[in-house]
Amino acid sequence: MATLILVRHGRSTANTAGLLAGWTPGVALDERGAGQAAALPGRLAEVPIAAAVTSPLQRCRETLAPLLAARPGLALHTDERIGECHYGDWSNRKLSELSDEPLMKIVQQHPSAAAFPGGESMRAMQARAVDAVREWNARIEEEHGSDAVFLMCSHGDIIKSLVADALGMHLDLFQRIHVDPCSVTVVRYTPTRPFLLRLGDTGDFGSLAPRPAPAPDAAAADTATFESATEDGGNAVVGGGAGAA
């Protein structure tokens, strides 16, 4: 079956603001995120990509724009099933405020039981994303052959949940997975099992260096793990941080 390249969108304005963006419109890449996106074509230069699929959200489309400009013939498709988790009433709120919500403990420790008020459950989020990947795998293989490579640009929680599925991990363990902004994760699917070939690869090991103590609000957000946490990016719980969004 096909090989899937999962790209997390570059760092966004919500990431640096410590906001849980979700499906809030108008969330763009910040300056650093735009630079990350500009570097993506060079990082993938040697990889033949049969098709690209994107979340409909602006930050994902902006991340793929340089790659599409470098490859005018690359087909782009949009699939809402790989869009961000629907956080409902939590959308566009400060992560430092959400850290005090009783639900946050469930999100962090038992995500398979977490459902966002006015939004969706994390189980539903994973299920739709896995369904999308399976369907696109079959389509790409039928149209381009079993050795084909295709790309999806999505969000932290989506990518983490897909990695958990590929590794046969329970969703309750997916918070142990970390993917940085504009990182590349690769899964090769076969008839018997998936193989994880890359995980959160940015080619930059600077993030492994010790970080200075964060400010109080940043510390709270760093425990939150949503797609748009603080700048240095705690994605321990849901989605990922600014450094990881």
Side-chain angles (χ1 to χ4, degrees):
M1 298 180 70
T3 296
L4 170 61
I5 298 174
L6 291 162
V7 176
R8 187 173 184 175
H9 66 76
R11 195 176 72 174
S12 74
T13 54
N15 295 150
T16 48
L19 294 173
L20 180 60
W23 284 70
T24 304
V27 177
L29 299 184
D30 67 6
E31 184 177 356
R32 179 177 172 185
Q36 292 168 334
L40 189 62
R43 293 167 60 197
L44 298 175
E46 297 183 13
V47 183
I49 301 174
V53 186
T54 184
S55 156
L57 296 175
Q58 178 179 339
R59 52 197 184 272
C60 287
R61 290 185 170 277
E62 290 182 355
T63 299
L64 287 189
L67 180 66
L68 296 172
R71 302 191 186 204
L74 180 61
L76 178 65
H77 309 272
T78 301
D79 195 324
E80 291 194 356
R81 294 174 297 176
I82 62 168
E84 179 59 286
C85 184
H86 291 277
Y87 296 123
D89 297 344
W90 281 27
S91 299
N92 211 34
R93 289 181 60 189
K94 282 275 190 181
L95 286 165
S96 55
E97 299 172 359
L98 293 172
S99 64
D100 294 328
E101 295 279 355
L103 177 60
M104 182 61 79
K105 185 175 182 180
I106 307 300
V107 169
Q108 292 177 344
Q109 299 182 14
H110 190 19
S112 66
F116 296 99
E120 69 179 332
S121 70
M122 302 203 79
R123 295 188 316 279
M125 174 203 73
Q126 183 187 43
R128 62 174 166 84
V130 170
D131 284 348
V133 166
R134 300 296 182 182
E135 290 179 21
W136 278 104
N137 271 337
R139 175 175 172 176
I140 295 298
E141 182 174 5
E142 180 180 357
E143 295 179 0
H144 301 279
S146 59
D147 292 329
V149 178
F150 72 108
L151 179 149
M152 285 184 166
C153 186
S154 188
H155 307 266
D157 280 343
I158 297 292
I159 294 173
K160 288 162 57 179
S161 70
L162 290 170
V163 170
D165 173 73
L167 293 176
M169 292 171 54
H170 196 280
L171 183 61
D172 285 344
L173 301 178
F174 97 131
Q175 307 295 15
R176 303 182 182 195
I177 300 167
H178 181 92
V179 289
D180 279 318
C182 222
S183 63
V184 172
T185 295
V186 183
V187 181
R188 177 173 294 151
Y189 290 87
T190 77
T192 55
R193 65 176 70 91
F195 292 89
L196 181 64
L197 305 184
R198 297 284 190 279
L199 176 60
D201 189 344
T202 64
D204 176 12
F205 294 97
S207 62
L208 300 180
R211 291 181 292 167
D217 279 356
D222 198 49
T223 67
T225 194
F226 287 96
E227 213 241 308
S228 46
T230 60
E231 178 170 351
D232 283 318
N235 71 336
V237 188
V238 186

